[in-house]
Amino acid sequence: MKLEGKVALITGGGRGIGRGIAEVFAEEGADVVVNDIDITAPEVDGVVQWIRSKGRRSKAFQADVSKRAEVETMFEEAWSEFGHVDILVNNAGIETIVPFLELKDEQWTRVTDVDLRGPWLCSQTFCKRVVAEGRKASIVNIGSVQAAKIIAGRTHYAPAKLGLEALTRNVSAEMTPLGIRVNCVHPGFIATSMTEWILNSPEILPEILKQISTGRPGEPREIGTVAAFFASDEASYLTGQSIHVDGGWVFK
Ligand code: NAP
């Protein structure tokens, strides 16, 4: 197992891609701290129970990743419950679709706060603790193909995701010498609640699938397997990198 003995904290782990990552990590031997903005949602308890059913430890911690005080409390609680955290997956993210000329300040701010400030805050809080303890660790950021591919109505989301790729490289350059590798997975079109409206559209779905070499949406666990590799010691010489896990969408 790739992640035996490690503790991973996955933001936005209550459903979708976060759940897929949590499942693969637990199967690979990790204990999993599940973060979500609302841990009273039944889906969150569902993930925690699923992980426990595999013989791993798991607990949910509430935090809005864009709020410093909540993030610091979450890491404090996770450390005191699990003793240490070895892997941070910055997965929590939101997407809205708004034409450029109609985009409002608050829409720009909320998307960039959650999708870019959140990973920055979580990474900094995590790294301060890991560096103070002198442990080795790994961060995996969940970006988007939209860092490279233009899809209308995402003039807030796409820059946040491209910023996350730059954050990956820059945090990697400062933290790898201290023992923390940092990499980024850019998912393509993955079947989750974020993409439900496309999956349920008989007009839009075939148009999107035509653009993808594999001709189908990805599954959350297909992001989880790549994230597990990046987080594992098998990727010990890999840092500052970003990869498209998109079934052949960006490069078709
Ligand atoms: P999802 O199904 O909407 O799940 C996202 C999870 O994150 C939800 O549980 C959500 O909680 C939580 N969350 C939202 N804002 C948060 C915050 N401020 N703090 C903590 N948790 C928060 O989305 P997904 O499709 O799994 O997406 C996961 C990541 O992959 C995102 O970063 C997204 O941008 C990226 N991505 C997705 C796709 C795709 O095709 N699905 C493609 C490329 C990239 P609530 O439900 O309570 O809001």
Side-chain angles (χ1 to χ4, degrees):
M1 283 189 285
K2 287 187 182 65
L3 304 176
E4 187 89 61
K6 311 240 189 231
V7 179
L9 188 152
I10 302 170
T11 68
R15 60 190 167 103
I17 291 174
R19 178 174 178 137
I21 296 169
E23 288 182 6
V24 173
F25 275 36
E27 286 171 353
E28 291 291 350
D31 292 335
V32 181
V33 181
V34 178
N35 153 263
D36 219 284
I37 194 165
D38 174 14
I39 59 168
T40 64
E43 292 94 331
V44 178
D45 189 51
V47 181
V48 169
Q49 296 307 334
W50 191 94
I51 294 164
R52 290 180 181 165
S53 77
K54 301 290 165 193
R56 305 291 159 209
R57 296 181 66 207
S58 185
K59 192 166 175 180
F61 292 99
Q62 190 281 334
D64 176 338
V65 294
S66 70
K67 306 233 160 81
R68 179 177 283 282
E70 293 184 25
V71 165
E72 287 179 350
T73 303
M74 170 180 73
F75 278 101
E76 182 73 47
E77 289 171 348
W79 241 267
S80 94
E81 181 78 24
F82 288 82
H84 57 96
V85 180
D86 311 285
I87 301 163
L88 165 65
V89 182
N90 283 311
N91 164 76
I94 53 171
E95 180 194 49
T96 52
I97 300 156
V98 191
F100 174 55
L101 293 179
E102 292 164 26
L103 190 63
K104 306 221 168 8
D105 281 14
E106 55 274 21
Q107 293 168 319
W108 168 273
T109 302
R110 187 61 189 149
V111 165
T112 57
D113 268 4
V114 176
D115 294 359
L116 183 56
R117 178 178 156 79
W120 168 71
L121 266 179
C122 289
S123 298
Q124 192 194 47
T125 310
F126 175 69
C127 287
K128 279 182 181 172
R129 287 182 165 270
V130 171
V131 169
E133 291 178 350
R135 297 177 66 89
K136 286 199 178 307
S138 175
I139 298 175
V140 181
N141 293 321
I142 304 301
S144 167
V145 288
Q146 294 188 50
K149 186 174 178 57
I150 294 160
I151 306 177
R154 271 68 159 212
T155 56
H156 47 343
Y157 181 76
K161 292 299 191 180
L162 185 55
L164 188 55
E165 186 173 313
L167 186 78
T168 301
R169 287 196 289 268
N170 283 270
V171 177
S172 163
E174 289 198 39
M175 290 297 108
T176 303
L178 303 181
I180 307 169
R181 292 183 301 103
V182 189
N183 291 289
C184 180
V185 177
H186 288 311
F189 173 42
I190 311 298
T192 70
S193 54
M194 189 180 272
T195 51
E196 214 165 11
W197 67 279
I198 303 175
L199 293 162
N200 291 331
S201 163
E203 292 83 36
I204 302 172
L205 181 61
E207 289 309 309
I208 303 261
L209 295 184
K210 259 193 257 169
Q211 300 169 28
I212 299 173
S213 299
T214 47
R216 64 169 177 85
E219 293 300 326
R221 290 175 63 105
E222 293 180 302
I223 304 303
T225 52
V226 181
F229 170 67
F230 269 147
S232 76
D233 294 338
E234 287 179 6
S236 52
Y237 205 52
L238 200 48
T239 190
Q241 295 298 317
S242 298
I243 187 170
H244 297 119
V245 182
D246 66 350
W249 191 10
V250 169
F251 296 129
K252 189 179 178 190

